[in-house]
Amino acid sequence: EPIGKNARLLYEKLLSLPQHQAMITSEILDWFMSQKIIISEDVLRKEILPQLNLYGIKNKPRIGYFIPASARPQSGDTPR
């Protein structure tokens, strides 16, 4: 299932994190800003994160968003 450019960038960022690390909302927004992409928390929550549900993104309160090992691609496949 295709996803948008910003969702794909976030997916790749979350995959690049060590397996037991997550990013909280403010860290994600700061990371987007460092990539010269300005988005609001509302856009993140309502448009970007829902696209990643198909790819196994999880959220734990006060810990953050992450992609569990069971949802990580085995052969380097990433959403297009």
Side-chain angles (χ1 to χ4, degrees), residues 7-18 21 23 27-28 31-32 34-35 67 72:
R8 188 173 63 252
L9 288 171
L10 179 56
Y11 177 80
E12 290 170 0
K13 174 62 177 171
L14 292 173
L15 281 178
S16 76
L17 297 176
Q21 189 174 340
M23 292 178 77
E27 291 172 328
I28 293 172
W31 176 78
F32 270 118
S34 76
Q35 303 298 304
I67 299 172
R72 289 175 179 250

Side-chain angles (χ1 to χ4, degrees), residues 1 6 11 21 23 35 38 51 58 69 73 75:
E1 184 78 24
N6 290 337
Y11 177 80
Q21 189 174 340
M23 292 178 77
Q35 303 298 304
I38 308 301
Q51 292 180 58
K58 300 289 184 198
S75 61

